[in-house]
Amino acid sequence: MDTKVPEKLHVDAFELRFADISEVSLSQLQALSMSVGWPHRSQDWQHLRDVGRGFVALDEIGRVSGSTMWFPHGENFATFGMLITAPRLQTNGAAEWLVKRMLEECHHERIRLNATRAARRICATFGFMPKQTVFQCQGEILSVPQAADIRQGLDLRRLECSDLDVVTALDEPAFGTRRYEHLKRLFESSICYGLYDGGRLMAYSMRRRFGRGHVVGPVVAYCEEDAIAVVHPHVVAHVGSFLRLDTHFGAGPFGSFIQQSGMSVFDAVTTMVSSESALYGGPSTGAPIVFALASQSFG
Ligand SMILES: CC(C)(COP(=O)(O)OP(=O)(O)OC[C@H]1O[C@@H](n2cnc3c(N)ncnc32)[C@H](O)[C@@H]1OP(=O)(O)O)[C@@H](O)C(=O)NCCC(=O)NCCS
């Protein structure tokens, strides 16, 4: 950015100043996300801080009134997330101030984010282009929808840490960049399944505790059939409990499988990118595809 972002901002009767997100307590961050109806537990914020960086906006008496984060994924690539302004201070320019400060600090050329309806216009003013809809599917699993048998010769099994390198290799063309550190951190807190064709990994899925229950993601596969195969065991494990999955697939076999299980579309956000080079890999290239996001912030 050409102009320096002011260190202080007058918002209504308040004066806000920046602080590094690592300087405030997890309970303050949780209170902020709760104020906008987001379900993050303190452990979820811890995970975000383990792999990301960010700023908070503090008022004169040290209350956390806003936040923004970015998550470096390898060289020249980052995802943005956790942009929040406390409801009492909204529509006064605080989010714009936070994003400007973040862009000043984050020099990645390729940036991807998932914008809520409230944030879409702000992100567009910074040059982010809308590309895809993400369907936030969630709910109590009612039953396990009928799924086709796993393709002959393929083997579905729990993944171990020793599978992390092949998971990273399958994931890279789908996600758009190598995200080893993120996948490693996710692995530590997830139950993971892989679909193998002999020694070749064809699909993988992860499931971890998050918010109100558990979230399934990331999920990467070459085709919808394989994506369903690796999500199936997570759905089976959660009959009667809350599960969430964020996907670009609102219809078709995968979208139908998710929604018929009880995870209905709760909300939709928009994947936006700073340049075409920040896009996900696409089905047209014959490369693997991201069927479920790790989270809206991680992409
Ligand atoms: C999205 C969110 C962060 C926006 O925060 P905010 O502080 O209200 O954002 P800003 O004030 O910078 O901008 C919001 C709007 O107010 C307008 N605005 C800013 N200052 C203004 C002022 N002084 N008077 C009138 N309008 C103003 C902006 O132009 C913007 O309008 P637009 O949405 O039409 O582009 C906030 O609504 C929020 O926390 N929502 C819930 C969580 C969420 O959705 N986060 C986004 C994740 S991607």
Side-chain angles (χ1 to χ4, degrees):
M1 309 232 46
D2 314 339
T3 48
K4 185 98 179 92
V5 182
E7 281 301 309
K8 291 188 174 168
L9 182 73
H10 286 275
V11 175
D12 196 10
F14 298 85
E15 185 177 76
L16 299 182
R17 63 185 166 88
F18 292 118
D20 195 282
I21 202 160
S22 62
E23 289 170 22
V24 297
S25 70
L26 292 171
S27 55
Q28 283 177 292
L29 294 169
Q30 195 186 4
L32 178 70
S33 51
M34 276 173 64
S35 75
V36 293
W38 286 5
H40 298 68
R41 305 164 304 147
S42 62
Q43 296 95 318
D44 301 324
W45 272 105
Q46 183 63 60
H47 186 165
L48 288 156
R49 288 208 304 200
D50 286 347
V51 291
R53 298 182 55 197
F55 292 107
V56 287
L58 298 180
D59 69 12
E60 294 100 323
I61 56 166
R63 285 178 300 193
V64 175
S65 304
S67 66
T68 190
M69 292 193 80
W70 73 98
F71 306 91
H73 297 267
E75 289 287 299
N76 297 326
F77 190 98
T79 53
F80 279 4
M82 305 314 289
L83 178 65
I84 300 173
T85 301
R88 71 185 188 288
L89 299 182
Q90 286 175 5
T91 64
N92 284 292
E96 196 184 317
W97 178 66
L98 281 159
V99 172
K100 273 187 187 157
R101 183 73 179 88
M102 179 172 65
L103 287 170
E104 203 178 50
E105 201 71 19
C106 163
H107 299 294
H108 296 85
E109 287 159 18
R110 298 186 293 149
I111 300 168
R112 193 162 66 212
L113 58 86
N114 291 299
T116 58
R117 201 178 309 278
R120 212 172 296 161
R121 278 241 288 275
I122 303 171
C123 296
T125 61
F126 285 100
F128 290 96
M129 300 172 282
K131 288 293 174 186
Q132 282 170 289
T133 301
V134 177
F135 301 94
Q136 181 180 331
C137 302
Q138 64 184 53
E140 185 183 317
I141 300 301
L142 305 170
S143 63
V144 183
Q146 193 78 33
D149 289 340
I150 290 172
R151 288 191 288 133
Q152 203 162 14
L154 300 195
D155 176 30
L156 179 70
R157 63 171 171 82
R158 281 281 292 271
L159 295 176
E160 310 294 337
C161 277
S162 55
D163 294 295
L164 191 54
D165 285 339
V166 281
V167 166
T168 307
L170 177 73
D171 183 83
E172 182 175 346
F175 185 71
T177 198
R178 186 177 157 81
R179 52 170 169 170
Y180 178 83
E181 292 304 328
H182 281 260
L183 294 174
K184 185 164 172 283
R185 178 65 180 79
L186 286 161
F187 234 89
E188 285 162 12
S189 46
S190 300
I191 291 172
C192 311
Y193 285 92
L195 190 65
Y196 273 96
D197 183 358
R200 184 176 173 215
L201 184 67
M202 304 301 292
Y204 82 85
S205 65
M206 298 191 189
R207 170 181 106 238
R208 68 184 190 282
R209 278 279 287 122
F210 173 80
R212 294 173 61 189
H214 287 74
V215 65
V216 178
V219 175
V220 170
Y222 285 95
C223 63
E224 304 209 29
E225 205 179 346
D226 291 355
I228 293 170
V230 289
V231 167
H232 190 268
H234 301 299
V235 174
V236 170
H238 279 275
V239 174
S241 66
F242 182 90
L243 203 55
R244 168 173 169 177
L245 184 146
D246 290 64
T247 182
H248 292 118
F249 291 77
F254 185 77
S256 303
F257 177 82
I258 298 307
Q259 290 174 42
Q260 282 168 19
S261 73
M263 286 183 267
S264 49
V265 177
F266 171 79
D267 199 2
V269 297
T270 306
T271 299
M272 301 178 83
V273 292
S274 61
S275 65
E276 297 291 323
S277 63
L279 283 167
Y280 286 99
S284 55
T285 61
I289 301 159
V290 171
F291 279 89
L293 309 189
S295 72
Q296 291 181 8
S297 293
F298 297 153

